[in-house]
Amino acid sequence: MNKPIRLKICGMREHANIHEVSRFAPDYMGFIFYPHSRRYVGDRFHVPATLPASIQRVGVFVNAEWEEVRRMADLHRLDYVQLHGHETVAYCQSLRETGIQIIKVFGVGDGFSLSQTEEYQPHVKYFLFDTKVDGYGGSGTTFDWSVLSGYKGPVPYFLSGGIDASNIHQIPPESVRYLHGVDVNSTLEISPAVKDPGRVFAFQHELNLVNQQFQSYRA
């Protein structure tokens, strides 16, 4: 299969747990640099040197100062920065011009329109669609995934929000052509920032089945 749906596991913090989860070889691992998150990595955090290079490092930021994002990207050798706030097109453009790859997040809820993504398209690598909440961060709940059936943009996207082994098969087939990956966090957890290896294994198994199921849509 040419284009498997990738796996991003977000909200990692504890070194021992990072090591456990890395054995499952997710495509991306996310670290949250937003101080108000329950999964905030903290001031003394560093990405373990043992993290395999094959796992892409993603730093999650919310309305952070441009210089701070740049500094943390350099310090932690981030492959991507995920912008979860109200970052403007100009902000994304200036950050991208420094060589940083960007994942821009959009909350999907009442009043959301796919047209909101259009002006960001030249400046980001991926979009991420999550369930809209008051404030910032994940909700652990799904939104109406059929909304994405109308997405035809040139920028592939991640799907997030309450995805787990029991519902991943419900992704509408007509929306998977532009689906780059799924972003999972709280549904895999024992406690905030601590993932259960058993749940990771079960989810990865179901994702493999989904990739087989959707092969003809993604060739």
Side-chain angles (χ1 to χ4, degrees):
M1 183 168 149
N2 294 329
K3 298 178 181 179
I5 299 170
R6 274 73 169 188
L7 173 59
K8 176 176 176 284
I9 299 179
C10 200
M12 302 299 299
R13 180 175 62 207
E14 311 301 328
H15 279 205
N17 195 229
I18 291 171
H19 175 71
E20 281 184 305
V21 171
S22 70
R23 292 185 297 175
F24 295 97
D27 301 284
Y28 302 85
M29 190 174 284
F31 310 98
I32 297 177
F33 294 91
Y34 178 52
H36 299 293
S37 170
R38 292 188 299 167
R39 297 165 184 84
Y40 173 50
V41 294
D43 295 332
R44 299 184 180 182
F45 174 79
H46 65 274
V47 179
T50 54
L51 185 69
S54 59
I55 301 176
Q56 301 284 286
R57 305 176 179 203
V58 181
V60 179
F61 300 88
V62 178
N63 299 326
E65 294 293 333
W66 185 94
E67 295 81 2
E68 177 66 7
V69 175
R70 175 75 263 181
R71 186 178 74 83
M72 299 305 283
D74 289 341
L75 178 64
H76 297 283
R77 295 187 292 114
L78 301 177
D79 298 290
Y80 296 87
V81 298
Q82 180 174 312
L83 304 179
H84 223 292
H86 297 295
E87 297 85 6
T88 65
V89 173
Y91 180 104
C92 293
Q93 180 179 1
S94 61
L95 199 58
R96 180 67 188 91
E97 287 173 351
T98 70
I100 292 179
Q101 299 279 14
I102 297 171
I103 301 170
K104 183 67 184 86
V105 178
F106 289 88
V108 181
D110 292 341
F112 173 76
S113 170
L114 289 170
S115 64
Q116 296 172 25
T117 67
E118 292 175 359
E119 57 183 345
Y120 287 88
Q121 289 175 2
H123 312 297
V124 305
K125 182 70 173 180
Y126 301 110
F127 292 129
L128 186 149
F129 296 114
D130 198 356
T131 306
K132 186 175 183 179
V133 295
D134 293 331
Y136 307 102
S139 65
T141 60
T142 60
F143 60 90
D144 181 4
W145 292 341
S146 67
V147 170
L148 302 179
S149 299
Y151 182 74
K152 300 293 189 293
V155 177
Y157 68 87
F158 286 90
L159 178 62
S160 188
I163 305 171
D164 60 24
S166 70
N167 63 23
I168 189 171
H169 293 273
Q170 298 170 19
I171 297 174
E174 59 271 19
S175 71
V176 302
R177 187 170 187 84
Y178 302 93
L179 175 60
H180 176 72
V182 289
D183 176 273
V184 234
N185 190 345
S186 62
T187 59
L188 301 181
E189 288 185 337
I190 302 169
S191 60
V194 179
K195 272 54 179 183
D196 178 356
R199 295 187 199 179
V200 175
F201 175 81
F203 184 84
Q204 195 172 56
H205 173 73
E206 295 304 317
L207 179 58
N208 289 337
L209 295 178
V210 166
N211 273 320
Q212 295 173 26
Q213 174 187 347
F214 289 147
Q215 185 170 1
S216 62
Y217 292 90
R218 298 174 57 81

